[in-house]
Amino acid sequence: MAQVSNLRIKAVGHHVINSNAIAALKTKSEQIAPNRLPIAPKALAGLHGHNPKHNGLLAALPAADYERLLPHLEFVEMPFGTTICEAGEKMQYAYFLTSSIVSLLYETADGASSETAVIGYEGLVGVDIVMGGGASLNRAFIKSAGYGFRIKASALKEEFARGGPLQQLLLRFTQALFSQMAHTVACNRHHTIVQQLCRWLLLSLDRLPTNKISMTQDLIANMLGVRRESVTEAARKLQDEGLIHYSRGQITIVDRAGLEEQICECYTSLSKEYDGLLVANGR
């Protein structure tokens, strides 16, 4: 696979989410609604060109390690709005994403939520499985539909315990993920809503095959942990400057370079962190 920069890889098989699907997800209070629909594995005959090596971690494995892991991988469709696991829940599967995007959400006792990290083709949902207790620290929510490959928690732990290449890859990815969480906390505390929105848009865009993001302002506000009115004002400013176009739950990035000029240092630092992960993984 060719060298990539700033996570700008073309995901395969991404599904654009229509406005009806978005509307179905919203509750009366505009909160992110848990949806525990089962994620059923697909038969290998139904892969339609999908390949586990569309995931960055799996693509970086040496041939022998990849072949040993392959029988344990199940191809799965990951529908928009599905909750993979709740905070405090032990995951039965980990997910190597290929074209879907998962948001890690921290939720307070009163139901407020905030996105702590986003994972796409570059990583794995379920590092908690191999990091000790196995219980998830966040709610994992599919915010962009697509596909992935799941592996039973027991099989992942067994391979991790070998101490080989997969262990090293997962440790490096976990470091990058923790870095993203730290930057998110700092950004949400110290930077403007416009800067936070730009960071959120670019982190999502980096993991998508198009310049379009299907997401309502209500859901963005929940993920950023701010009022909807603040997101509306920030989005209007970016649209007035010709950087984005927003209509009916779909955001089109018109001027990426312009967004990058608006961004705080958090996004730049994260890009370098993940570029380092890709280089270390031999991408």
Side-chain angles (χ1 to χ4, degrees), residues 182-184 186-188 191 199 263-271:
H183 279 87
T184 299
C187 188
N188 290 351
H191 297 142
R199 171 183 56 82
I263 203 70
C264 55
E265 67 270 18
C266 296
Y267 175 74
T268 303
S269 298
L270 281 174
S271 294

Side-chain angles (χ1 to χ4, degrees), residues 58-206:
L58 294 176
L61 285 174
D65 297 88
Y66 176 77
E67 293 297 330
R68 185 172 60 249
L69 203 63
L70 192 58
H72 299 287
L73 299 177
E74 293 180 315
F75 177 61
V76 291
E77 182 176 4
M78 306 188 73
F80 170 74
T82 301
T83 294
I84 296 177
C85 72
E86 298 286 356
E89 183 177 288
K90 285 196 173 184
M91 297 185 67
Q92 302 302 310
Y93 293 90
Y95 296 83
F96 292 97
L97 307 182
T98 55
S99 60
S100 54
I101 302 178
V102 168
S103 174
L104 301 185
L105 298 170
Y106 178 81
E107 296 178 314
T108 62
D110 61 2
S113 62
S114 181
E115 184 179 77
T116 59
V118 58
I119 303 171
Y121 78 94
E122 80 289 347
L124 172 84
V125 179
V127 293
D128 313 270
I129 291 171
V130 296
M131 289 295 137
S136 177
L137 300 177
N138 302 271
R139 179 152 73 94
F141 165 85
I142 300 174
K143 75 173 186 179
S144 184
Y147 298 93
F149 290 83
R150 75 179 186 182
I151 181 173
K152 287 184 178 179
S154 56
L156 182 65
K157 286 192 285 189
E158 181 179 342
E159 184 64 26
F160 186 84
R162 288 176 176 270
L166 182 64
Q167 183 188 85
Q168 294 304 311
L169 288 169
L170 290 181
L171 289 175
R172 282 199 292 265
F173 171 71
T174 301
Q175 179 182 351
L177 189 62
F178 286 170
S179 177
Q180 183 184 164
M181 291 178 175
H183 279 87
T184 299
V185 170
C187 188
N188 290 351
R189 176 65 179 84
H190 296 291
H191 297 142
T192 68
I193 300 298
V194 170
Q195 289 175 317
Q196 292 178 47
L197 179 58
C198 288
R199 171 183 56 82
W200 188 91
L201 289 172
L202 288 172
L203 286 176
S204 299
L205 189 66
D206 286 342

